[in-house]
Amino acid sequence: PTFILFILLKIMSKNYRNCSKTYRTPRRPFEKERIDSELRLVGEYGLRNKREVWRVQLVLSKIRASARILLTLPDNDPRRISQGESLLRRLKKFGIIKPDENTLDRILTLKIQDFLERRIQTIIFKLGLAKSIHHARVLILQRHVSIQNKLVDVPSYLVRLKSQENISYFHQSPYCGGDPGRVRRKTLKKKI
């Protein structure tokens, strides 16, 4: 009986590894204007592929959709007030909208570039820690970058406004006085 009970529990239990897709492919795959604009974004922000653009588009469309639903509710509706404030607070925390912009209408005017500007890859390049946007991606993936002394190795990490001034090289990185890297150790060994 315990074996049968185990099998029943196994069948009835949820599988938490089934996750929803994080991106949505375009409806028209060969639309020239869309392809050109996506390629421009990929080059300007140093993205790996178009999927990274589509992922940000999905996030943006979900945020816009929730703002649109909240705008249909009356102004004094408690759901509109609480959810609207929390949505605006979250976007302000990441610096996607400015602190003085307090309307849900502003959310409807957001663009993909507003999100891509807050990625750690873009911010590192703008701070001057990297020579190019592609160099910034390499620095992040090779584990040279930290925020508040915590290692960050994901180029798509969205940086909060309050932690932006704490971006620096990781303390164990060769750029910050750590041990030299593999190639540098090899050249030093040859000189001896």
Side-chain angles (χ1 to χ4, degrees):
T2 54
F3 180 70
I4 294 170
L5 184 66
F6 175 75
I7 290 176
L8 279 173
L9 283 174
K10 191 77 172 161
I11 293 170
M12 292 170 43
S13 65
K14 290 186 177 182
N15 184 0
Y16 289 105
R17 289 188 295 182
N18 289 342
C19 300
S20 60
K21 284 180 78 171
T22 57
Y23 65 95
R24 190 183 302 141
T25 56
R27 285 184 185 166
R28 296 191 180 110
F30 303 111
E31 197 175 23
K32 182 160 178 38
E33 295 83 30
R34 182 194 50 77
I35 291 173
D36 291 342
S37 67
E38 285 174 354
L39 195 60
R40 204 172 302 113
L41 285 173
V42 167
E44 184 182 344
Y45 291 99
L47 306 178
R48 189 171 123 227
N49 50 30
K50 302 257 181 91
R51 195 182 310 133
E52 290 193 345
V53 176
W54 299 337
R55 190 173 61 205
V56 175
Q57 276 178 337
L58 181 64
V59 169
L60 180 60
S61 69
K62 284 183 178 178
I63 289 172
R64 271 200 207 125
S66 63
R68 238 181 271 118
I69 290 167
L70 292 174
L71 281 168
T72 59
L73 301 172
D75 287 342
N76 56 358
D77 191 305
R79 180 177 164 208
R80 176 177 173 161
I81 294 168
S82 66
Q83 289 184 5
E85 285 177 359
S86 67
L87 186 60
L88 286 166
R89 193 177 331 111
R90 192 171 23 161
L91 292 173
K92 285 178 195 168
K93 182 171 63 176
F94 285 104
I96 294 167
I97 61 174
K98 293 181 178 70
D100 59 332
E101 296 169 335
N102 280 335
T103 60
L104 288 171
D105 295 321
R106 172 64 179 105
I107 295 174
L108 297 179
T109 63
L110 288 174
K111 299 188 297 282
I112 300 171
Q113 288 89 336
D114 298 324
F115 282 85
L116 294 176
E117 287 290 330
R118 297 305 304 163
R119 286 166 50 104
I120 190 165
Q121 180 180 355
T122 312
I123 291 174
I124 283 176
F125 172 58
K126 299 239 168 122
L127 287 174
L129 294 175
K131 297 173 187 169
S132 70
I133 196 84
H134 305 289
H135 184 226
R137 188 177 186 94
V138 169
L139 286 177
I140 295 162
L141 289 171
Q142 292 179 354
R143 303 164 62 96
H144 293 297
V145 177
S146 69
I147 297 178
Q148 295 174 341
N149 295 327
K150 291 185 181 131
L151 184 71
V152 178
D153 60 353
V154 180
S156 63
Y157 180 86
L158 287 181
V159 180
R160 296 179 181 192
L161 271 180
K162 108 181 141 176
S163 60
Q164 182 170 345
E165 59 266 6
N166 297 321
I167 295 175
S168 63
Y169 291 120
F170 189 54
H171 64 88
Q172 291 179 341
S173 166
Y175 291 102
C176 194
D179 293 336
R182 178 183 58 85
V183 175
R184 180 81 178 128
R185 284 196 309 265
K186 192 174 178 183
T187 54
L188 289 172
K189 199 174 185 181
K190 280 183 182 177
K191 288 181 181 177
I192 297 175

